[in-house]
């Protein structure tokens, strides 16, 4: 196998992934994900779009300062102002900083969006790459909407940006339009017709509008692409991006016919997936490949029988290979701090002393109420006590009366921007009363789009997990909360969503791509 068979994994969870509706993350959350991506050993982390807002800039800067192994990329349009701003954030990563600049190359984008003739687009791209090369030698150029670009123009563009100094050239399927053999042909055409193509790595970036992002990425590797751009859980614009776990596990499982390797430490996949869902509130569908709850469940009797006789009868990869521990019963009332911390570390959490203390107190109170504590309970505890930092609003106390006779009433006390406030409100039901009380105390105008309740594990003593989706002024956020008491979990989810909304509003109107 040649050296070229090692595929560069470029993770864009923090940039394209964050463009999923409701997926916005604060700086702290982005750093947590970046740390998990470093554990996964991705080659490149695209940390954000620095010119988009001050918050995006800060996040890219912090990731560039704190993450030590992967390269750190920042996106910018093909103009000097964007590029300089990106480098201001990225230079902290030194040689590992990568400028990723782009411009659209399809006729429809050039005519209708950019309103620029092709020659001008080409000149703009070349100037941008040359400018970026004055900051760093690590420059990626993307031909936005490459799949719908005239192939001769695409080849001309790729050749020109490589001459200008681009070391990676990305051929995105921006609108998720390609089908595998067509995408293969595009990459193959470039490989065969661009004279200097071997001086750059060809990257692929597929969106999942037709559910083909992973298949297209694999087809492109066969044609000679050397880098795959992907996201955890496949989150991203619209139907999402190529999923990291799917493309990596496909390469690992079918190495017999796809002789490519990646540096990904696959045992960290499951915790990365859970961490992202917890932070964004975007849950994974149960039948999602690799990380869905049913991905390793063998329901049918004949399958169970086969798996018991020999796992390989129905299992093409092991749950352990993605870090899924099937032995889920972990801790109980008598477990001490040591066992608690050890389990958190196994789950991929690397917490500060104070955070461990907060989580341990909550663990003890849960263990008093609930006989068996599962990994999912620990995730919820860490999410509530450590990850979901409440900056603007925080619940102090609540009491709710409801039943078939009493008028549902919520009495609620909470911190609102540093002041402790209290109110009592009646509603159609207990959750309605709680939400009305929170709205009254915070003065929020956000519209409630979705409210859902689930149990984290089985049993009537399970913790309830609630999700709340809010919209205000065109911005959407998703909040989550968990508790043994489902009404308290609902209040926490609503308050978490309001905190996220406040963060998004603080970040201001972002420049969109
Ligand atoms: O989908 C796309 O074309 C992109 C580019 C900015 C790389 O995300
Ligand atoms: Zn994209």
């Amino acid at each position: 196998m040649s050296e070229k068979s090692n595929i560069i994994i470029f993770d864009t969870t923090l940039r394209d992934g964050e463009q999923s509706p409701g997926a916005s993350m604060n700086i702290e959350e982005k750093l947590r994900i970046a740390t998990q991506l470093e554990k996964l050993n991705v080659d490149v982390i695209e940390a954000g779009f620095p010119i988009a807002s001050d918050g995006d800039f800060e996040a890219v800067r912090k990731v560039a300062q704190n993450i030590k192994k992967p390269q750190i990329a920042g996106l910018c349009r093909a103009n000097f102002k964007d590029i300089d701003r990106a480098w201001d954030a990225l230079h902290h990563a030194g040689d590992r900083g990568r400028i990723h600049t782009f411009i659209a190359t399809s006729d429809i984008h050039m005519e209708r969006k950019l309103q620029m003739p092709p020659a001008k687009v080409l000149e703009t791209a070349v100037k941008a790459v040359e400018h970026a090369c004055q900051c760093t030698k690590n420059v990626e150029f993307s031909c936005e909407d490459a799949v719908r670009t005239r192939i001769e123009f695409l080849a001309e563009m790729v050749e020109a940006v490589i001459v200008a100094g681009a070391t990676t050239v990305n051929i995105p399927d921006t609108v998720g339009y390609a089908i595998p053999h067509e995408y293969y042909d595009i990459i193959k055409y470039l490989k065969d017709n661009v004279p200097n193509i071997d001086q750059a790595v060809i990257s692929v970036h597929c969106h999942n509008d037709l559910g083909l992002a992973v298949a297209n990425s694999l087809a492109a590797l066969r044609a000679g692409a050397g880098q795959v751009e992907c996201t955890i859980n496949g989150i991203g614009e619209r139907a999402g991006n190529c999923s990291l776990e799917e493309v990596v596990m496909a390469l690992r499982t079918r190495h017999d016919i796809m002789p490519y390797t990646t540096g990904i430490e696959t045992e960290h996949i499951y915790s990365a997936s859970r961490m992202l869902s917890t932070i964004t509130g975007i849950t994974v569908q149960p039948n999602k490949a690799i990380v869905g709850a049913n991905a390793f469940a063998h329901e049918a009797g004949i399958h169970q029988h086969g798996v018991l006789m020999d796992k390989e009868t129905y299992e093409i990869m092991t749950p352990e290979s993605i870090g899924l521990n099937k032995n889920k019963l972990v801790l109980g009332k008598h477990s001490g701090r040591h066992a608690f911390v050890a389990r958190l570390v196994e789950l991929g959490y690397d917490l500060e002393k104070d955070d461990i203390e907060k989580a341990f107190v909550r663990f003890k109170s849960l263990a008093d109420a609930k006989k068996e504590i599962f990994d999912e309970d620990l995730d919820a505890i860490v999410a509530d006590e450590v990850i979901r930092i409440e900056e603007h609003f925080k619940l102090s106390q609540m009491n709710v009366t409801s039943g078939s006779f009493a008028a549902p009433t919520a009495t609620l006390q909470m911190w609102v921007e540093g002041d402790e406030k209290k109110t009592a409100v009646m509603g159609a039901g207990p959750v309605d009363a709680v939400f009305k009380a929170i709205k009254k105390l915070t003065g929020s105008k956000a519209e409630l789009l979705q409210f859902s309740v689930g149990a984290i594990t089985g049993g009537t003593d399970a913790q309830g997990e609630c999700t709340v989706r809010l919209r205000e002024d065109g911005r959407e956020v998703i909040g989550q909360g968990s508790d043994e008491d489902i009404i308290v979990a609902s209040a926490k989810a609503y308050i978490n969503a309001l905190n996220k909304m406040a963060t998004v509003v603080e970040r201001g109107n972002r420049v969109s791509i």
Side-chain angles (χ1 to χ4, degrees):
M1 231 183 286
S2 76
E3 254 179 65
K4 279 202 168 159
S5 61
N6 190 52
I7 303 303
I8 299 166
I9 298 294
F10 176 113
D11 181 279
T12 181
T13 305
L14 299 179
R15 199 279 297 170
D16 222 337
E18 208 207 9
Q19 289 171 219
S20 289
S24 63
M25 296 169 239
N26 65 30
I27 295 175
E28 193 60 35
E29 292 167 337
K30 284 192 169 188
L31 257 181
R32 275 183 196 282
I33 300 281
T35 306
Q36 186 66 22
L37 293 172
E38 187 171 34
K39 272 196 200 157
L40 267 174
N41 202 27
V42 303
D43 300 284
V44 188
I45 296 175
E46 185 163 54
F49 183 19
I51 198 129
S53 72
D54 290 346
D56 286 57
F57 177 88
E58 264 314 291
V60 177
R61 189 174 68 83
K62 283 249 165 72
V63 172
Q65 272 172 341
N66 289 287
I67 300 296
K68 298 294 175 213
K69 198 165 170 233
Q71 294 179 43
I72 310 298
L75 186 69
C76 42
R77 291 165 299 188
N79 67 61
F80 293 4
K81 197 170 159 220
D82 276 34
I83 293 169
D84 293 343
R85 184 81 173 139
W87 190 244
D88 278 350
L90 291 167
H91 78 268
H92 299 279
D95 289 349
R96 292 177 299 110
R98 174 183 294 197
I99 294 180
H100 178 192
T101 184
F102 75 98
I103 195 166
T105 51
S106 63
D107 285 344
I108 181 168
H109 276 237
M110 292 190 294
E111 276 165 25
R112 314 241 181 106
K113 183 178 83 172
L114 300 173
Q115 297 177 334
M116 278 161 86
K120 181 80 188 149
V121 172
L122 193 122
E123 186 194 328
T124 306
V126 166
K127 280 193 177 148
V129 170
E130 284 171 352
H131 186 72
C133 286
Q134 287 171 16
C135 307
T136 171
K137 295 282 155 271
N138 191 351
V139 175
E140 172 166 340
F141 176 78
S142 284
C143 312
E144 192 190 9
D145 203 17
V147 164
R148 295 191 299 170
T149 297
R150 276 181 297 108
I151 193 75
E152 296 79 12
F153 182 59
L154 186 63
E156 197 185 335
M157 178 63 95
V158 170
E159 182 178 353
V161 293
I162 294 175
V163 170
T167 44
T168 303
V169 182
N170 188 26
I171 311 297
D173 183 14
T174 304
V175 291
Y177 182 69
I179 56 170
H181 73 258
E182 177 191 27
Y183 200 49
Y184 171 93
D185 289 345
I186 294 172
I187 304 298
K188 187 84 175 70
Y189 181 93
L190 297 174
K191 280 277 177 189
D192 293 343
N193 291 281
V194 174
N196 55 1
I197 196 85
D198 289 336
Q199 291 168 33
V201 172
I202 295 300
S203 176
V204 290
H205 175 114
C206 297
H207 280 268
N208 207 28
D209 299 66
L210 294 174
L212 294 170
V214 173
N216 286 335
S217 304
L218 295 175
L221 294 183
R222 189 156 177 250
Q227 173 175 289
V228 175
E229 305 197 358
C230 45
T231 61
I232 304 292
N233 296 343
I235 67 165
E237 282 270 4
R238 306 180 309 278
N241 287 58
C242 170
S243 134
L244 179 146
E245 59 278 9
E246 291 178 25
V247 82
V248 166
M249 290 311 284
L251 290 175
R252 181 178 152 145
T253 307
R254 297 310 312 274
H255 191 67
D256 55 332
I257 55 165
M258 294 187 289
Y260 316 106
T261 52
T262 73
I264 297 299
E265 307 274 355
T266 62
E267 318 75 61
H268 295 296
I269 283 181
Y270 192 60
S271 30
S273 162
R274 284 197 316 202
M275 182 183 286
L276 184 69
S277 301
T278 307
I279 286 178
T280 58
I282 301 176
T283 48
V284 166
Q285 77 203 49
N287 62 329
K288 160 93 171 64
I290 318 294
V291 291
N294 297 345
F296 290 93
H298 298 277
E299 196 63 43
I302 191 166
H303 287 205
Q304 287 175 350
H305 177 68
V307 170
L308 286 176
M309 303 292 282
D310 180 346
K311 280 187 183 169
E312 284 184 24
T313 48
Y314 287 99
E315 250 179 33
I316 57 164
M317 56 201 153
T318 64
E320 291 78 18
S321 64
I322 62 150
L324 176 60
N325 181 353
K326 291 184 102 181
N327 176 15
K328 286 186 163 184
L329 177 60
V330 282
L331 301 169
K333 190 171 162 163
H334 301 295
S335 308
R337 192 183 306 261
H338 189 73
F340 174 74
V341 175
R343 191 64 200 141
L344 288 184
V345 171
E346 274 167 33
L347 290 176
Y349 296 111
D350 188 6
L351 305 185
E352 303 283 333
K353 224 170 152 198
D354 284 359
D355 291 337
I356 292 178
E357 206 42 53
K358 280 189 249 166
F360 188 66
V361 170
R362 170 89 181 269
F363 161 73
K364 276 294 179 190
S365 114
L366 181 64
D368 275 340
K370 189 173 183 285
K371 212 165 79 208
E372 298 164 329
I373 307 289
F374 296 87
D375 288 351
E376 290 84 348
D377 290 314
L378 297 183
D379 282 334
I381 288 176
V382 174
D384 257 11
E385 302 300 326
V386 182
I387 295 181
R388 293 176 197 140
I389 316 153
E390 264 123 34
E391 296 138 312
H392 300 262
F393 314 113
K394 190 172 165 63
L395 180 67
S396 324
Q397 296 195 56
M398 61 180 274
N399 189 50
V400 178
T401 46
S402 70
S404 60
F405 189 61
T409 309
T411 308
L412 214 110
Q413 192 161 314
M414 65 183 284
W415 291 97
V416 178
E417 308 283 8
D419 292 331
E420 200 164 33
K421 297 185 175 181
K422 189 175 174 183
T423 191
V425 174
M426 283 201 296
V431 174
D432 185 50
V434 167
F435 285 8
K436 279 184 174 148
I438 296 172
K439 260 193 129 164
K440 190 172 160 196
L441 291 179
T442 58
S444 165
K445 303 265 176 300
E447 176 194 357
L448 177 67
L449 299 181
Q450 184 206 331
F451 166 64
S452 59
V453 185
I456 290 178
T457 57
T460 50
D461 62 353
Q463 288 196 90
E465 184 167 53
C466 296
T467 303
V468 164
R469 189 186 277 264
L470 299 179
R471 181 169 31 205
E472 190 173 356
D473 293 335
R475 300 173 173 111
E476 263 184 44
V477 293
I478 301 170
Q480 280 188 315
S482 63
D483 200 275
E484 302 95 279
D485 182 321
I486 204 74
I487 310 295
V488 176
S490 311
K492 285 183 179 175
Y494 199 91
I495 291 172
N496 176 237
L498 290 177
N499 277 315
K500 284 200 169 175
M501 186 62 86
T503 309
V504 170
V505 170
E506 262 172 15
R507 275 166 72 173
N509 285 330
R510 302 176 70 226
V511 170
S512 61
I513 294 174

